[in-house]
């Protein structure tokens, strides 16, 4: 079974402070990990995925297979980063599909 | 490209009724997945359609069924509605899985908010 845990429901940081949104996963295999973001009144959208090893909007995330974690980090928070963040895992099923398993999400609030 | 479109945006039903939600995938996408997002929760996978067939199913009862049409659009049907079915229903589309680079980037619609009274 695959599971994603985001331990923080709400994270409040001051503008300019570092941000770390935690994500731990459980999966017996080689998963693909994603961070999705939902800004106020907007649809869920992909922020980044581990396979790309890229930085989007200043955010990075490193897959740590030993700790089964995929934490999202940004060195200096901006007010426009305030949003709901979901960590998601995709593992190939026997039928060849790639369903996403989401965590419960963390609401990031950046205080001016 | 309008992206993934879902209709209707809001729906109110009563217990025991049946509902049909619709989804048009992003241009060039042939795989459609449906998710249920209850209040305060992350999206939960219902099922996925590819080549007009249900390819994978999450932990949802048979009251939840779907269909995919030749133009790749999809419907989600829920029978015998329960109060607990009240949620935001999200549709996501993706490109063919044999494109290794983009094999599982799913693009989401804005969702249909279903309220069961």
């Amino acid at each position: 079974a695959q599971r994603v845990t985001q331990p923080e429901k709400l994270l409040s940081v001051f503008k300019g402070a570092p941000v770390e949104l935690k994500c731990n996963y459980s999966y017996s295999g080689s998963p693909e990990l994603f961070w999705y973001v939902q800004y106020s009144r907007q649809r869920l959208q992909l922020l980044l995925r581990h396979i790309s090893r890229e930085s989007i909007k200043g955010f990075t995330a490193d897959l740590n297979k030993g700790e089964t974690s995929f934490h999202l980090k940004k060195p200096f928070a901006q007010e426009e980063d305030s949003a709901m963040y979901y960590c998601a895992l995709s593992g190939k099923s026997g039928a060849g599909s790639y369903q996403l398993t989401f965590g419960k999400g963390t609401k990031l609030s950046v205080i001016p | 490209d309008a992206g993934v479109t879902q209709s209707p945006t809001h729906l109110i039903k009563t217990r025991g009724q049946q509902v049909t939600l619709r989804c048009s995938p992003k241009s060039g996408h042939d795989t459609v997945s449906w998710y249920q997002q209850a209040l305060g929760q992350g999206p939960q996978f219902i099922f996925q359609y590819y080549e007009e067939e249900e390819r994978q199913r999450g932990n949802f009862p048979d009251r939840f069924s779907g269909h995919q049409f030749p133009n790749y659009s999809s419907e989600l049907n829920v029978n015998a509605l329960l109060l607990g079915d009240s949620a935001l229903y999200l549709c996501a589309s993706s490109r063919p899985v044999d494109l290794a680079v983009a094999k599982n980037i799913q693009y989401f619609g804005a969702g249909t908010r279903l309220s069961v009274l």
Side-chain angles (χ1 to χ4, degrees):
Chain A
Q2 48 196 59
R3 187 164 54 212
V4 175
T5 303
Q6 293 180 252
E8 303 134 332
K9 248 183 147 173
L10 173 65
L11 183 65
S12 296
V13 301
F14 285 101
K15 178 181 173 181
V19 175
E20 184 179 43
L21 300 172
K22 291 185 167 50
C23 171
N24 288 89
Y25 68 90
S26 172
Y27 183 71
S28 55
S30 293
E32 194 172 349
L33 274 296
F34 304 82
W35 277 99
Y36 277 81
V37 61
Q38 187 167 30
Y39 301 102
S40 180
R41 293 190 177 86
Q42 293 188 28
R43 62 185 64 190
L44 200 58
Q45 58 186 283
L46 178 67
L47 180 62
L48 54 79
R49 51 185 184 142
H50 90 271
I51 201 169
S52 300
R53 303 180 72 84
E54 58 196 347
S55 173
I56 303 293
K57 298 184 178 182
F59 284 99
T60 59
D62 290 318
L63 179 61
N64 186 323
K65 291 186 178 180
E67 295 182 0
T68 58
S69 68
F70 188 57
H71 303 327
L72 183 68
K73 299 178 184 179
K74 184 170 182 176
F76 308 105
Q78 303 297 317
E79 287 180 67
E80 55 264 30
D81 296 329
S82 294
M84 196 73 186
Y85 291 80
Y86 295 95
C87 181
L89 176 156
S90 173
K92 185 175 180 179
S93 74
S97 69
Y98 293 84
Q99 67 185 74
L100 287 172
T101 297
F102 285 86
K104 292 186 177 182
T106 298
K107 184 174 182 179
L108 175 64
S109 178
V110 180
I111 305 164
Chain B
D1 181 13
V4 180
T5 58
Q6 292 187 243
S7 63
T9 53
H10 295 87
L11 208 47
I12 299 175
K13 292 286 187 179
T14 56
R15 278 181 300 175
Q17 284 189 309
Q18 177 263 345
V19 69
T20 297
L21 311 181
R22 295 178 175 82
C23 171
S24 292
K26 188 175 167 65
S27 178
H29 288 191
D30 65 351
T31 302
V32 173
S33 302
W34 286 93
Y35 294 83
Q36 180 195 67
Q37 186 174 20
L39 205 59
Q41 303 292 317
Q44 191 173 355
F45 177 75
I46 302 174
F47 43 52
Q48 185 177 85
Y49 275 84
Y50 173 67
E51 293 187 339
E52 301 179 48
E53 289 189 5
E54 182 183 290
R55 180 167 36 187
Q56 189 67 12
R57 189 180 185 90
N59 189 24
F60 279 81
D62 292 344
R63 296 187 298 109
F64 290 77
S65 63
H67 189 77
Q68 186 178 35
F69 299 94
N71 67 352
Y72 308 124
S73 67
S74 177
E75 288 181 350
L76 164 65
N77 301 291
V78 187
N79 294 322
L81 284 167
L82 303 174
L83 296 179
D85 296 331
S86 295
L88 180 67
Y89 288 85
L90 297 170
C91 170
S93 72
S94 50
R95 288 160 61 179
V97 293
D98 59 351
L99 291 178
V101 173
K103 68 179 181 181
N104 196 27
I105 298 177
Q106 297 194 18
Y107 293 81
F108 284 81
T112 294
R113 184 159 298 281
L114 173 65
S115 298
V116 182
L117 305 178

